[in-house]
Amino acid sequence: FLNGLVAVVTLHVSERDPGVAFDVVQEVTTPISGIVERRREVIADAAEWAALWDEMQSRVMPKPPVPEIDFGTRMVVFASMGECTSGGYMISVLEAAQENDVLYVEVEEATPGIECITTDVVSTPAVAVSVPRTAATVLFVEREIAYPCAPGS
């Protein structure tokens, strides 16, 4: 991954302009992503992408083929929550916006509220998106929410 070009901050991207179009490459919000630690990464070449994809799909049989990314014009931004104690956890990339020499990537981690009924399995949510390739420093903007559930749901 791009060493030295990744940082994690807590703020909101919503006022940054202009927005950067991104495509969800693979959204893994099931208990089978295979990524057991919390991570934020920028993947800049096909070999790194294939290795990450293999790790993401390590609990899936048969493994789906690696999605093709044109690393001449794109790069992959990846975020995972690590092992969560139950189902109901989700991670998303909400927005990507570049300002000067910084690409802000807003990541939202959602946890089930106290009233939520969840599956009793360890889950490992992860998300990968492709964005236009840039030499900008990538800052992951963290957002955490606990979503409410009605009692008994």
Side-chain angles (χ1 to χ4, degrees):
F1 83 113
L2 299 177
N3 291 326
L5 296 181
V6 177
V8 177
V9 295
T10 302
L11 52 92
H12 292 283
V13 173
S14 58
E15 298 303 315
R16 307 247 178 246
D17 195 42
V20 174
F22 63 88
D23 302 315
V24 174
V25 176
Q26 176 68 20
E27 194 163 14
V28 182
T29 55
T30 67
I32 55 172
S33 77
I35 307 293
V36 297
E37 66 278 339
R38 187 176 189 276
R39 290 179 11 200
R40 304 293 185 262
E41 296 181 18
V42 177
I43 307 299
D45 66 53
E48 291 177 58
W49 173 232
L52 177 64
W53 182 259
D54 188 56
E55 187 178 3
M56 286 174 66
Q57 303 301 321
S58 64
R59 297 179 182 173
V60 177
M61 292 297 164
K63 285 184 185 175
V66 179
E68 289 188 31
I69 304 291
D70 178 0
F71 284 99
T73 61
R74 313 279 301 170
M75 61 187 192
V76 173
V77 176
F78 172 77
S80 66
M81 290 178 75
E83 285 189 337
C84 301
T85 57
S86 68
Y89 290 81
M90 296 174 279
I91 190 166
S92 303
V93 171
L94 300 179
E95 185 177 1
Q98 187 159 343
E99 185 176 290
N100 300 318
D101 293 332
V102 178
L103 176 64
Y104 296 91
V105 178
E106 188 170 12
V107 176
E108 181 179 81
E109 292 186 356
T111 60
I114 193 81
E115 296 291 331
C116 296
I117 296 173
T118 61
T119 57
D120 192 22
V121 297
V122 172
S123 59
T124 52
V127 63
V129 300
S130 79
V131 297
R133 189 176 188 87
T134 179
T137 298
V138 176
L139 290 177
F140 288 90
V141 179
E142 304 295 326
R143 184 174 182 190
E144 296 177 357
I145 65 164
Y147 58 87
C149 294
S153 65

